[in-house]
Amino acid sequence: MGFSPAYMNLFKTGEFTERVSKAVEILGKCRLCPRECGVNRLNNEKGFCKSGRLAMISSVGPHFGEESPLVGRNGSGAIFFTNCNLGCLFCQNYDISHLSEGREVESEYLANAMLSLQNYGCHNINFVTPTHYAPQILEGLVIAIERGLSVPLVYNCGGYESLEMIKLLDSVVDIYMPDIKYGDNEIAKKYSKAPDYFDIVKSVITEMHRQVGDLAINKQGIAERGLLIRHLVMPNRLAGTDKVVDFVSKLSKNTYINIMAQYRPQYKAGNYPELNRRIITDEYVNAILLAEKVGLTRGFRHE
Ligand code: SF4
């Protein structure tokens, strides 16, 4: 028997549709993320994330730039969502996340997008920046699963999530792929307008790990289930890598953590001298050494 995603079972028992109703209800007084704006998105009111009743997407397609266990031969089936619940001054995708590039789509469209990515041979459906559209994604999934969707689902998020929503995604999401952007609330407040970021991220990632465990990769090298963390090293040690890897190693030393070096001073970073350069080799090497020191071994380069 091959791998079967957990959502198949949830769908058969009828619980999947109950989860969808609960998630959609949250939109009525939006608390989909820790900002808890309280706006009625069912009436198209918009809060911090500038998003209304319908999901907005910027693009759909096989993506080969993700981590190798997600990409395999045929790519990760990425659906890029527009807008964001974080306010990162250095955003690496600011045209999509802050300038709202994209268009509104109904659940039928989302379902067709998922099915065409699966038909293309993508190894998973990768929801990129899904947090503020989690109920709309679930609505699309109902249609897609009914029509034969069967590949793992990747929840590729910034880590600033509501615990309530993540619990509703238990046995729906196969692979959680959250960022841990900072190891310090004050720094997160200054650069991403998220004053409780590190506290929130620790609690939601602990729940994600409880649900899916460490990243499981099959014999073909493809991820099927588990947690994959991303940590972008920032200039001047602003990402707080020491605190981040300490937390991650306590979660599990077998955690897959991609420590990324591709920071670029985008969007408004030019207004902040400390953000306004790429990282230097020493900063990256230091981040790797910190991870190794606490016993982490998976997901980053050791040389
Ligand atoms: S998802 Fe958007 S509207 Fe809802 S609480 Fe978060 S930022 Fe506010």
Side-chain angles (χ1 to χ4, degrees):
M1 273 287 283
F3 171 79
S4 169
Y7 61 77
M8 307 280 246
N9 260 340
L10 208 64
F11 197 73
K12 278 184 203 139
T13 64
E15 203 188 322
F16 199 101
T17 42
E18 281 172 39
R19 301 276 185 94
V20 180
S21 309
K22 285 182 186 160
V24 170
E25 202 182 307
I26 294 176
L27 280 174
K29 204 172 176 190
C30 194
R31 52 177 199 285
L32 267 188
C33 87
R35 297 199 188 274
E36 299 190 356
C37 298
V39 292
N40 185 352
R41 288 181 54 192
L42 297 173
N43 280 348
N44 229 20
E45 287 174 19
K46 293 172 183 174
F48 180 93
C49 64
K50 299 182 275 189
S51 307
R53 174 62 183 95
L54 293 180
M56 282 182 77
I57 61 171
S58 70
S59 65
V60 175
H63 192 41
F64 294 87
E66 305 286 35
E67 287 74 357
S68 56
L70 297 180
V71 169
R73 275 172 78 92
N74 300 328
S76 176
I79 302 180
F80 286 87
F81 289 94
T82 300
N83 298 329
C84 186
N85 73 323
L86 281 165
C88 305
L89 297 171
F90 53 88
C91 181
Q92 312 285 291
N93 295 310
Y94 64 96
D95 44 350
I96 301 170
S97 297
H98 295 297
L99 307 182
S100 298
E101 273 187 15
R103 62 200 175 94
E104 288 191 330
V105 292
E106 304 275 353
S107 1
E108 179 81 19
Y109 184 100
L110 270 183
N112 285 334
M114 296 177 208
L115 290 166
S116 50
L117 290 166
Q118 174 173 282
N119 290 342
Y120 180 85
C122 292
H123 302 282
N124 46 63
I125 305 298
N126 181 350
F127 301 113
V128 186
T129 324
T131 308
H132 48 301
Y133 298 126
Q136 291 88 338
I137 290 169
L138 288 173
E139 288 177 314
L141 277 167
V142 171
I143 303 170
I145 298 169
E146 199 144 32
R147 295 184 191 162
L149 189 75
S150 61
V151 292
L153 305 178
V154 183
Y155 194 82
N156 179 349
C157 67
Y160 198 50
E161 314 298 309
S162 111
L163 203 51
E164 181 185 12
M165 193 59 228
I166 294 300
K167 285 182 177 166
L168 287 179
L169 296 177
D170 190 0
S171 303
V172 174
V173 168
D174 301 286
I175 299 166
Y176 282 107
M177 185 156 67
D179 292 328
I180 305 187
K181 293 176 184 291
Y182 310 98
D184 184 287
N185 287 333
E186 279 303 307
I187 293 180
K189 179 180 170 187
K190 184 168 179 190
Y191 300 123
S192 293
K193 301 190 186 126
D196 47 1
Y197 180 85
F198 194 43
D199 294 335
I200 293 283
V201 95
K202 283 190 286 189
S203 97
V204 296
I205 289 182
T206 302
E207 168 62 17
M208 290 171 175
H209 186 255
R210 183 198 68 74
Q211 290 179 19
V212 296
D214 293 330
L215 193 68
I217 297 174
N218 68 16
K219 285 191 186 124
Q220 289 75 43
I222 303 295
E224 291 183 333
R225 187 171 169 82
L227 175 69
L228 190 165
I229 292 174
R230 284 176 162 175
H231 176 66
L232 180 66
V233 179
M234 290 175 64
N236 299 301
R237 302 191 183 190
L238 290 169
T241 304
D242 52 343
K243 297 202 185 74
V244 170
V245 294
D246 184 57
F247 160 71
V248 173
S249 73
K250 284 174 182 153
L251 196 64
S252 160
K253 292 215 189 322
N254 204 28
T255 304
Y256 191 109
I257 176 168
N258 181 3
I259 299 177
M260 303 186 297
Q262 63 261 46
Y263 175 87
R264 282 189 185 83
Q266 303 271 34
Y267 194 37
K268 297 181 180 169
N271 301 333
Y272 298 80
E274 68 279 21
L275 291 177
N276 198 20
R277 65 164 170 84
R278 300 190 68 155
I279 61 165
I280 55 173
T281 306
D282 268 6
E283 287 170 324
Y284 186 69
V285 170
N286 179 60
I288 297 295
L289 291 176
L290 287 168
E292 288 181 337
K293 198 170 151 194
V294 293
L296 296 170
T297 59
R298 296 182 76 201
F300 54 90
R301 293 163 70 90
H302 301 267
E303 63 271 24

